[in-house]
Amino acid sequence: MKRVKKALVSLLTMAAFAVLFQMTAFAYWNNTSVVMTGCSDTAIGIKWNQKVNTDTQTTSPTDYYVVESYDIKNDDGDLLARVPATQLSYTFNNLNPGVVDYVTVYANYTNYYKFSSSTTWYSSKSYTSVGSTRVNTLPKKLTKFEVASGPSVSTATPTGASGVQIELRNLVTGKVTYQTCYSYAPLSVPTNTAYAVRGRAYYQNYSNKTNYYSAWTGYKYFTKMTGTVQSKSNARGFTLKLKKGKGIYQYVVYVSTKNGKGYKKTATLKAKSGTFRITKIGKSALKKKKTYYIKVVPVLKVGNKKISSCLPGYTNIRVLG
C-alpha cells in the first residue's frame, strides 16, 4: 500500500510539474499582424507592430525579430533577416519582377522557468509568431499584347500575376474604359471610329486588398471597319465602297496576287463615304480572269500624328472579262 501511495504521489508531482512548467514557459502575447508597405520591380517593404508581452514575470521582452520566407531568395525557408527589437520594418532588395510569396515575422525572447522543487530560475530562448502576410514585387511587363479581329485583345498573363488590365480610349471623344482578362478579351467599340488600346499586368494582393501593376505597354491604334471591304468588279477593275468614319484621316489600298503577302500600294483615298475605282496593282493594270487580294488600311488621326490602324480590312475579288 505504501508503494502505491508513493507511486501516486510521484505521478501527481510529475503532473503538477508539467502543468507548472507549461504555465511558466508560456508567453501571453497580444497578436498583431504584418503588412506590406509597398513594392517596386526589385524591392518589397513590410512592417509590423511591436510584440507586447503580458507576462513579464516569466518572459523577457522581445530580444529581436526574425523575418522569414521560402521563395523570395531561397527555397528552404532559411533565415532571411535578424532585425533588432527596436526595428519594426524590413525591406527585401535585389529581387526580380513577378515575385509572390508569404513572409512570416517571429518575435524571439528569453523564457524563464524553474522546477517546482527548486528556487533556481533557468532561462531558454524561444519565439512566437508576430504574423504572416502575402507579399509581391510588381508583375513582369507584358511581352504579348495584340489587337486581333473582332476586334479583340490577345495577350498572355505573366507567371504569378492575377491578370491583365486593358485600357480602351476613344480617340474622338477621349472617353476611357477599363476591363480585365487573362489571355483574351473582346473589345466593344462602334464601327469606323478611331481607338487606342494598351495593357498592363496586375497582381491582386489579398492580404492588403491592393492591386499592383506593371508598366503599360505602348498603345495599339485601330478602327473596326464595317464588315469586310465591299467590292464589285468588271473588265476594267473593281469598286470599293467605304465610309468616312470618325477620327479616320484616309484609307490606303494595297493589292496582291497572293493571299496574305506581296501587297503593293495602289491608292490613297480620302476618308469620306463613297465608292472608289481601283484599276491597277501597284503601277500595273489589273489582268482579266485573275483573283486579287485587297487590303485597306485606315490611317487614324492621333493628335498631330497620322498612324496606320493595326487592324486592316481585307477582301478578295476576281476581275471579270
Side-chain angles (χ1 to χ4, degrees), residues 255-275:
V255 180
S256 176
T257 57
K258 298 178 181 180
N259 189 10
K261 59 182 180 180
Y263 287 99
K264 295 181 180 180
K265 184 176 178 179
T266 299
T268 300
L269 309 175
K270 294 181 179 181
K272 64 179 183 179
S273 299
T275 57

PDB file of all heavy atoms in Angstrom, residues 255-275:
ATOM      1  N   VAL A 255      -2.941  45.954-103.022  1.00  0.00           N
ATOM      2  CA  VAL A 255      -3.461  44.837-103.825  1.00  0.00           C
ATOM      3  C   VAL A 255      -2.336  43.818-104.021  1.00  0.00           C
ATOM      4  O   VAL A 255      -1.164  44.187-104.202  1.00  0.00           O
ATOM      5  CB  VAL A 255      -3.989  45.327-105.182  1.00  0.00           C
ATOM      6  CG1 VAL A 255      -4.533  44.151-106.002  1.00  0.00           C
ATOM      7  CG2 VAL A 255      -5.093  46.366-104.987  1.00  0.00           C
ATOM      8  N   SER A 256      -2.695  42.528-103.994  1.00  0.00           N
ATOM      9  CA  SER A 256      -1.714  41.460-104.192  1.00  0.00           C
ATOM     10  C   SER A 256      -2.340  40.340-105.010  1.00  0.00           C
ATOM     11  O   SER A 256      -3.569  40.196-105.077  1.00  0.00           O
ATOM     12  CB  SER A 256      -1.242  40.907-102.840  1.00  0.00           C
ATOM     13  OG  SER A 256      -0.369  39.806-103.019  1.00  0.00           O
ATOM     14  N   THR A 257      -1.486  39.543-105.627  1.00  0.00           N
ATOM     15  CA  THR A 257      -1.953  38.347-106.336  1.00  0.00           C
ATOM     16  C   THR A 257      -1.854  37.118-105.442  1.00  0.00           C
ATOM     17  O   THR A 257      -2.205  36.017-105.855  1.00  0.00           O
ATOM     18  CB  THR A 257      -1.113  38.122-107.608  1.00  0.00           C
ATOM     19  OG1 THR A 257       0.273  38.012-107.238  1.00  0.00           O
ATOM     20  CG2 THR A 257      -1.298  39.267-108.583  1.00  0.00           C
ATOM     21  N   LYS A 258      -1.339  37.301-104.202  1.00  0.00           N
ATOM     22  CA  LYS A 258      -1.193  36.194-103.262  1.00  0.00           C
ATOM     23  C   LYS A 258      -1.920  36.533-101.961  1.00  0.00           C
ATOM     24  O   LYS A 258      -1.922  37.681-101.521  1.00  0.00           O
ATOM     25  CB  LYS A 258       0.281  35.926-102.982  1.00  0.00           C
ATOM     26  CG  LYS A 258       1.075  35.513-104.221  1.00  0.00           C
ATOM     27  CD  LYS A 258       2.543  35.310-103.879  1.00  0.00           C
ATOM     28  CE  LYS A 258       3.344  34.921-105.120  1.00  0.00           C
ATOM     29  NZ  LYS A 258       4.783  34.728-104.818  1.00  0.00           N
ATOM     30  N   ASN A 259      -2.486  35.535-101.352  1.00  0.00           N
ATOM     31  CA  ASN A 259      -3.257  35.738-100.132  1.00  0.00           C
ATOM     32  C   ASN A 259      -2.320  35.933 -98.930  1.00  0.00           C
ATOM     33  O   ASN A 259      -1.538  35.057 -98.596  1.00  0.00           O
ATOM     34  CB  ASN A 259      -4.168  34.541 -99.881  1.00  0.00           C
ATOM     35  CG  ASN A 259      -5.152  34.803 -98.751  1.00  0.00           C
ATOM     36  OD1 ASN A 259      -5.294  35.924 -98.279  1.00  0.00           O
ATOM     37  ND2 ASN A 259      -5.846  33.758 -98.330  1.00  0.00           N
ATOM     38  N   GLY A 260      -2.364  37.123 -98.316  1.00  0.00           N
ATOM     39  CA  GLY A 260      -1.606  37.364 -97.101  1.00  0.00           C
ATOM     40  C   GLY A 260      -0.210  37.904 -97.291  1.00  0.00           C
ATOM     41  O   GLY A 260       0.487  38.168 -96.310  1.00  0.00           O
ATOM     42  N   LYS A 261       0.250  38.087 -98.500  1.00  0.00           N
ATOM     43  CA  LYS A 261       1.601  38.626 -98.697  1.00  0.00           C
ATOM     44  C   LYS A 261       1.708  39.248-100.086  1.00  0.00           C
ATOM     45  O   LYS A 261       0.821  39.079-100.933  1.00  0.00           O
ATOM     46  CB  LYS A 261       2.649  37.527 -98.539  1.00  0.00           C
ATOM     47  CG  LYS A 261       2.494  36.365 -99.512  1.00  0.00           C
ATOM     48  CD  LYS A 261       3.547  35.298 -99.248  1.00  0.00           C
ATOM     49  CE  LYS A 261       3.392  34.125-100.215  1.00  0.00           C
ATOM     50  NZ  LYS A 261       4.421  33.086 -99.966  1.00  0.00           N
ATOM     51  N   GLY A 262       2.805  39.945-100.318  1.00  0.00           N
ATOM     52  CA  GLY A 262       3.060  40.548-101.624  1.00  0.00           C
ATOM     53  C   GLY A 262       2.177  41.734-101.957  1.00  0.00           C
ATOM     54  O   GLY A 262       1.979  42.049-103.135  1.00  0.00           O
ATOM     55  N   TYR A 263       1.653  42.433-100.962  1.00  0.00           N
ATOM     56  CA  TYR A 263       0.757  43.557-101.229  1.00  0.00           C
ATOM     57  C   TYR A 263       1.537  44.764-101.756  1.00  0.00           C
ATOM     58  O   TYR A 263       2.605  45.096-101.252  1.00  0.00           O
ATOM     59  CB  TYR A 263       0.003  43.957 -99.957  1.00  0.00           C
ATOM     60  CG  TYR A 263      -1.067  42.975 -99.562  1.00  0.00           C
ATOM     61  CD1 TYR A 263      -0.835  42.030 -98.575  1.00  0.00           C
ATOM     62  CD2 TYR A 263      -2.311  42.992-100.183  1.00  0.00           C
ATOM     63  CE1 TYR A 263      -1.814  41.120 -98.203  1.00  0.00           C
ATOM     64  CE2 TYR A 263      -3.297  42.088 -99.826  1.00  0.00           C
ATOM     65  CZ  TYR A 263      -3.049  41.153 -98.839  1.00  0.00           C
ATOM     66  OH  TYR A 263      -4.022  40.249 -98.487  1.00  0.00           O
ATOM     67  N   LYS A 264       0.985  45.410-102.765  1.00  0.00           N
ATOM     68  CA  LYS A 264       1.568  46.617-103.341  1.00  0.00           C
ATOM     69  C   LYS A 264       0.603  47.782-103.134  1.00  0.00           C
ATOM     70  O   LYS A 264      -0.602  47.655-103.352  1.00  0.00           O
ATOM     71  CB  LYS A 264       1.825  46.435-104.836  1.00  0.00           C
ATOM     72  CG  LYS A 264       2.872  45.357-105.143  1.00  0.00           C
ATOM     73  CD  LYS A 264       3.106  45.240-106.642  1.00  0.00           C
ATOM     74  CE  LYS A 264       4.156  44.176-106.953  1.00  0.00           C
ATOM     75  NZ  LYS A 264       4.390  44.043-108.414  1.00  0.00           N
ATOM     76  N   LYS A 265       1.192  48.915-102.723  1.00  0.00           N
ATOM     77  CA  LYS A 265       0.368  50.099-102.512  1.00  0.00           C
ATOM     78  C   LYS A 265      -0.191  50.568-103.846  1.00  0.00           C
ATOM     79  O   LYS A 265       0.549  50.780-104.808  1.00  0.00           O
ATOM     80  CB  LYS A 265       1.200  51.205-101.880  1.00  0.00           C
ATOM     81  CG  LYS A 265       0.412  52.459-101.536  1.00  0.00           C
ATOM     82  CD  LYS A 265       1.299  53.470-100.827  1.00  0.00           C
ATOM     83  CE  LYS A 265       0.548  54.752-100.518  1.00  0.00           C
ATOM     84  NZ  LYS A 265       1.392  55.728 -99.813  1.00  0.00           N
ATOM     85  N   THR A 266      -1.509  50.712-103.916  1.00  0.00           N
ATOM     86  CA  THR A 266      -2.183  51.012-105.173  1.00  0.00           C
ATOM     87  C   THR A 266      -2.863  52.375-105.172  1.00  0.00           C
ATOM     88  O   THR A 266      -2.874  53.075-106.178  1.00  0.00           O
ATOM     89  CB  THR A 266      -3.229  49.918-105.479  1.00  0.00           C
ATOM     90  OG1 THR A 266      -2.560  48.671-105.602  1.00  0.00           O
ATOM     91  CG2 THR A 266      -3.981  50.214-106.768  1.00  0.00           C
ATOM     92  N   ALA A 267      -3.430  52.772-104.028  1.00  0.00           N
ATOM     93  CA  ALA A 267      -4.165  54.038-104.000  1.00  0.00           C
ATOM     94  C   ALA A 267      -4.234  54.571-102.573  1.00  0.00           C
ATOM     95  O   ALA A 267      -4.234  53.804-101.607  1.00  0.00           O
ATOM     96  CB  ALA A 267      -5.571  53.856-104.559  1.00  0.00           C
ATOM     97  N   THR A 268      -4.277  55.894-102.461  1.00  0.00           N
ATOM     98  CA  THR A 268      -4.534  56.572-101.189  1.00  0.00           C
ATOM     99  C   THR A 268      -5.824  57.358-101.354  1.00  0.00           C
ATOM    100  O   THR A 268      -5.928  58.238-102.219  1.00  0.00           O
ATOM    101  CB  THR A 268      -3.382  57.516-100.816  1.00  0.00           C
ATOM    102  OG1 THR A 268      -2.169  56.757-100.692  1.00  0.00           O
ATOM    103  CG2 THR A 268      -3.669  58.214 -99.504  1.00  0.00           C
ATOM    104  N   LEU A 269      -6.825  57.035-100.534  1.00  0.00           N
ATOM    105  CA  LEU A 269      -8.159  57.594-100.715  1.00  0.00           C
ATOM    106  C   LEU A 269      -8.523  58.513 -99.561  1.00  0.00           C
ATOM    107  O   LEU A 269      -8.150  58.261 -98.400  1.00  0.00           O
ATOM    108  CB  LEU A 269      -9.189  56.464-100.799  1.00  0.00           C
ATOM    109  CG  LEU A 269      -8.865  55.354-101.815  1.00  0.00           C
ATOM    110  CD1 LEU A 269      -9.893  54.235-101.700  1.00  0.00           C
ATOM    111  CD2 LEU A 269      -8.827  55.915-103.225  1.00  0.00           C
ATOM    112  N   LYS A 270      -9.247  59.557 -99.842  1.00  0.00           N
ATOM    113  CA  LYS A 270      -9.722  60.455 -98.799  1.00  0.00           C
ATOM    114  C   LYS A 270     -10.725  59.733 -97.907  1.00  0.00           C
ATOM    115  O   LYS A 270     -11.453  58.849 -98.356  1.00  0.00           O
ATOM    116  CB  LYS A 270     -10.369  61.684 -99.424  1.00  0.00           C
ATOM    117  CG  LYS A 270      -9.396  62.576-100.186  1.00  0.00           C
ATOM    118  CD  LYS A 270     -10.116  63.794-100.752  1.00  0.00           C
ATOM    119  CE  LYS A 270      -9.146  64.703-101.498  1.00  0.00           C
ATOM    120  NZ  LYS A 270      -9.825  65.901-102.039  1.00  0.00           N
ATOM    121  N   ALA A 271     -10.738  60.115 -96.656  1.00  0.00           N
ATOM    122  CA  ALA A 271     -11.633  59.475 -95.688  1.00  0.00           C
ATOM    123  C   ALA A 271     -13.031  60.069 -95.794  1.00  0.00           C
ATOM    124  O   ALA A 271     -13.457  60.880 -94.983  1.00  0.00           O
ATOM    125  CB  ALA A 271     -11.087  59.642 -94.283  1.00  0.00           C
ATOM    126  N   LYS A 272     -13.728  59.678 -96.808  1.00  0.00           N
ATOM    127  CA  LYS A 272     -15.100  60.126 -96.995  1.00  0.00           C
ATOM    128  C   LYS A 272     -15.934  58.963 -97.498  1.00  0.00           C
ATOM    129  O   LYS A 272     -15.420  57.999 -98.083  1.00  0.00           O
ATOM    130  CB  LYS A 272     -15.162  61.287 -97.982  1.00  0.00           C
ATOM    131  CG  LYS A 272     -14.724  60.931 -99.398  1.00  0.00           C
ATOM    132  CD  LYS A 272     -14.840  62.144-100.323  1.00  0.00           C
ATOM    133  CE  LYS A 272     -14.460  61.768-101.759  1.00  0.00           C
ATOM    134  NZ  LYS A 272     -14.593  62.933-102.676  1.00  0.00           N
ATOM    135  N   SER A 273     -17.227  59.034 -97.267  1.00  0.00           N
ATOM    136  CA  SER A 273     -18.121  57.975 -97.740  1.00  0.00           C
ATOM    137  C   SER A 273     -18.221  58.036 -99.258  1.00  0.00           C
ATOM    138  O   SER A 273     -18.228  59.113 -99.865  1.00  0.00           O
ATOM    139  CB  SER A 273     -19.505  58.133 -97.117  1.00  0.00           C
ATOM    140  OG  SER A 273     -19.433  58.043 -95.709  1.00  0.00           O
ATOM    141  N   GLY A 274     -18.277  56.863 -99.887  1.00  0.00           N
ATOM    142  CA  GLY A 274     -18.420  56.820-101.339  1.00  0.00           C
ATOM    143  C   GLY A 274     -17.797  55.578-101.930  1.00  0.00           C
ATOM    144  O   GLY A 274     -17.359  54.667-101.222  1.00  0.00           O
ATOM    145  N   THR A 275     -17.795  55.529-103.264  1.00  0.00           N
ATOM    146  CA  THR A 275     -17.212  54.405-103.995  1.00  0.00           C
ATOM    147  C   THR A 275     -15.946  54.865-104.708  1.00  0.00           C
ATOM    148  O   THR A 275     -15.835  56.011-105.149  1.00  0.00           O
ATOM    149  CB  THR A 275     -18.214  53.841-105.010  1.00  0.00           C
ATOM    150  OG1 THR A 275     -18.612  54.894-105.906  1.00  0.00           O
ATOM    151  CG2 THR A 275     -19.436  53.269-104.308  1.00  0.00           C
TER     152      THR A 275
END
